[in-house]
């Protein structure tokens, strides 16, 4: 039995890139989340896509080239993310998945919701 990664099931790099672009832009445009993220920076789409690709079981560039998950935790540790902001973030994440055309089968969407 061949098991497909979430990365492969999502459609690979190009689909994740489109998803993250939609998601990041929606966060930057949102008055509740924009204060956490600042202004739009195109390079953040690339970094976040690299992170998502690895999280989805794709290439491990985030760990190899960008400091890995411990670095990510260190960066976000000082953010005082409120529960409403966290919940809104998850909602925008799932809406971006829909808008990007990521698979809508229940197992994938459940995994996506757990990852957000």
């Amino acid at each position: 039995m061949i098991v497909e990664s979430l990365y492969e099931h999502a459609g690979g790099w190009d689909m994740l890139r489109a998803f993250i672009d939609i998601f990041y832009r929606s966060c930057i445009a949102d008055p509740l989340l924009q204060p956490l993220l600042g202004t739009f920076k195109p390079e953040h789409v690339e970094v976040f896509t690299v992170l998502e690709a690895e999280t989805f079981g794709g290439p491990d560039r985030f760990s190899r080239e960008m400091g890995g998950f411990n670095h990510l935790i260190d960066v976000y540790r000082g953010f005082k993310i409120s529960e409403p902001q966290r919940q809104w973030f998850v909602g925008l994440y799932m809406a971006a998945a829909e808008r990007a055309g990521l698979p809508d089968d229940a197992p994938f969407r459940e995994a996506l919701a757990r990852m957000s």
Side-chain angles (χ1 to χ4, degrees), residues 35 37 39 55 65 71:
L37 300 171
T39 60
T55 302
E65 299 173 15
H71 172 70

Side-chain angles (χ1 to χ4, degrees), residues 54 65 114:
E54 184 168 336
E65 299 173 15
R114 283 191 307 271

Side-chain angles (χ1 to χ4, degrees), residues 25-42:
R25 288 176 188 275
S26 68
C27 289
I28 293 297
D30 187 86
L32 186 62
L33 298 178
Q34 187 278 328
L36 295 172
L37 300 171
T39 60
F40 180 78
K41 296 182 177 138

